[in-house]
Amino acid sequence: MSEITKTSAGKKKTEIDYLTYEPDKTKSLLNFKKNLLFKVLQTVRVIGTYSFSLLLVLVLWGLLPLSLLHKPLRKLGIKNKNLPMNIASRWYAKGCILMSGISVVEKQGGVKGPTILVSNHLSKLDPFMAMAFCDQEAIKFIFKQELLWQAPWLMPLGYLLGHIPVDRKNREKAIKQLNKAVSHISDSKTIIIYPEGTRSVSGKLQQFKKGPFHLSYDSGVPITPMIVTGPWHCWKPHTFFPLPGTVRIKILDQIQVENKTVEELLLETRTIMANALDEDDFVVKPINQIKATIPSFLFLTSISVLVYWKFFT
């Protein structure tokens, strides 16, 4: 199924068969010694990150009435990314990444909406990184409906802020929910979808589902492929918390939908992303553990001082 072609250097190169190709060339220098210092610093980051996340979620719930201002502000010409709750959500995402010890050291390209952003899916932090660093647009997510009750403190808030749940077990209901996504896109918004459907356990690119490409075909909105390298090495499956390391986000050229079928859109998108991952030379580097723990330490210290001042003085 593969074809042999010649590169400009005259060497033979095998064209990628999108059904079997699985890129896994990202290199990692993460090799932390699991000693007492590591465990103490990791514990501080865990407590700091989850405490920060919970506190900021409570703040976002309190700020939720500001979302009522979004429609009139849009009529005044305010861009989606500059609406109050979109700004607050973006800084919440940036804060969670900072607390976790992961650093996005490089971002290539930009997002121009309305578009459907399609990305590989490697860790729980992927949506946070997209929201925080693809900041040219206000990004909305399509997520599995089960998360509404699996994370009741967070995902209902996301739903109220415009993120779209999809019932993957009920096809008819899912179609109606995706039609809602079409209306979001037509309102000059950008939606991100992970076409693999779930996080990659192996770190390799999985097969794509057709949903995002039906959405692009039906709405006429272009697809913007994005590849993220590093999260899988920092936060491997079945581990409780990420290791402090570096990550890169690369946004590729848009794919126009005109004169293409759903299957052609899927094949072209996956081939482009697979090629980009194959050519990626990014090396995941460790971040100094003490430096990575400073934000969580300062946050927990500040909270402790405020609690002591409020209740014990």
Side-chain angles (χ1 to χ4, degrees):
M1 296 178 66
S2 297
E3 296 179 5
I4 304 297
T5 59
K6 286 190 177 183
T7 64
S8 58
K11 296 181 181 179
K12 289 184 177 181
K13 181 180 177 181
T14 303
E15 291 294 333
I16 294 166
D17 177 352
Y18 90 101
L19 292 174
T20 59
Y21 178 66
E22 295 181 327
D24 189 22
K25 291 194 172 183
T26 305
K27 298 177 183 177
S28 174
L29 300 179
L30 300 184
N31 187 24
F32 292 101
K33 294 181 179 179
K34 306 296 177 65
N35 53 23
L36 179 60
L37 177 63
F38 171 86
K39 293 178 181 178
V40 169
L41 295 176
Q42 186 82 333
T43 300
V44 172
R45 287 196 300 276
V46 169
I47 297 173
T49 301
Y50 285 105
S51 300
F52 174 86
S53 177
L54 180 59
L55 178 61
L56 265 289
V57 166
L58 293 174
V59 171
L60 288 173
W61 275 108
L63 294 175
L64 188 59
L66 290 177
S67 62
L68 298 174
L69 298 175
H70 285 195
K71 191 172 182 178
L73 287 173
R74 284 195 198 98
K75 291 182 178 179
L76 292 174
I78 305 298
K79 293 182 177 180
N80 283 323
K81 70 174 184 177
N82 294 326
L83 297 175
M85 292 307 296
N86 291 336
I87 293 173
S89 298
R90 190 158 58 244
W91 281 103
Y92 162 70
K94 288 185 177 183
C96 289
I97 294 170
L98 177 67
M99 293 289 171
S100 71
I102 287 180
S103 175
V104 179
V105 295
E106 185 178 347
K107 190 194 82 170
Q108 298 180 2
V111 180
K112 184 179 180 181
T115 186
I116 298 171
L117 196 60
V118 171
S119 176
N120 56 329
H121 197 8
L122 299 172
S123 80
K124 296 176 182 177
L125 282 176
D126 291 352
F128 291 87
M129 288 186 288
M131 187 184 299
F133 295 100
C134 299
D135 51 6
Q136 296 91 347
E137 299 287 336
I139 293 177
K140 301 301 179 183
F141 295 91
I142 291 180
F143 63 92
K144 60 182 182 181
Q145 185 171 283
E146 304 93 278
L147 290 176
L148 287 172
W149 51 86
Q150 291 175 356
W153 63 93
L154 176 61
M155 298 315 294
L157 174 64
Y159 172 69
L160 293 172
L161 291 176
H163 303 289
I164 304 163
V166 172
D167 187 349
R168 300 186 298 178
K169 298 177 182 179
N170 187 326
R171 179 177 174 80
E172 292 184 3
K173 188 176 180 181
I175 291 173
K176 291 180 180 179
Q177 291 166 325
L178 287 175
N179 286 335
K180 181 180 178 182
V182 172
S183 67
H184 273 254
I185 297 171
S186 62
D187 195 24
S188 299
K189 296 178 182 176
T190 293
I191 287 180
I192 184 168
I193 308 178
Y194 298 100
E196 297 165 281
T198 188
R199 295 187 301 274
S200 174
V201 175
S202 65
K204 301 174 182 177
L205 193 65
Q206 303 174 93
Q207 295 307 309
F208 284 3
K209 300 184 183 300
K210 291 184 179 181
F213 309 99
H214 277 291
L215 190 58
S216 175
Y217 181 83
D218 293 340
S219 64
V221 170
I223 289 173
T224 302
M226 180 176 83
I227 60 170
V228 183
T229 46
W232 185 85
H233 296 85
C234 295
W235 198 350
K236 291 189 176 181
H238 313 303
T239 56
F240 182 68
F241 198 73
L243 298 171
T246 57
V247 170
R248 178 166 73 180
I249 296 173
K250 190 173 184 179
I251 300 167
L252 309 175
D253 293 336
Q254 283 190 346
I255 299 172
Q256 300 301 322
V257 70
E258 287 82 5
N259 302 318
K260 294 174 186 174
T261 65
V262 171
E263 289 74 17
E264 287 172 339
L265 283 170
L266 186 154
L267 174 58
E268 182 177 353
T269 303
R270 194 181 188 282
T271 302
I272 288 173
M273 291 174 64
N275 279 325
L277 287 166
D278 184 46
E279 296 167 0
D280 195 10
D281 58 356
F282 183 70
V283 178
V284 182
K285 297 180 180 179
I287 297 175
N288 180 277
Q289 293 184 71
I290 296 177
K291 181 180 178 180
T293 309
I294 288 175
S296 290
F297 176 77
L298 292 177
F299 171 74
L300 292 173
T301 301
S302 300
I303 294 298
S304 300
V305 169
L306 287 173
V307 169
Y308 180 82
W309 175 77
K310 181 68 177 179
F311 296 103
F312 299 101
T313 58

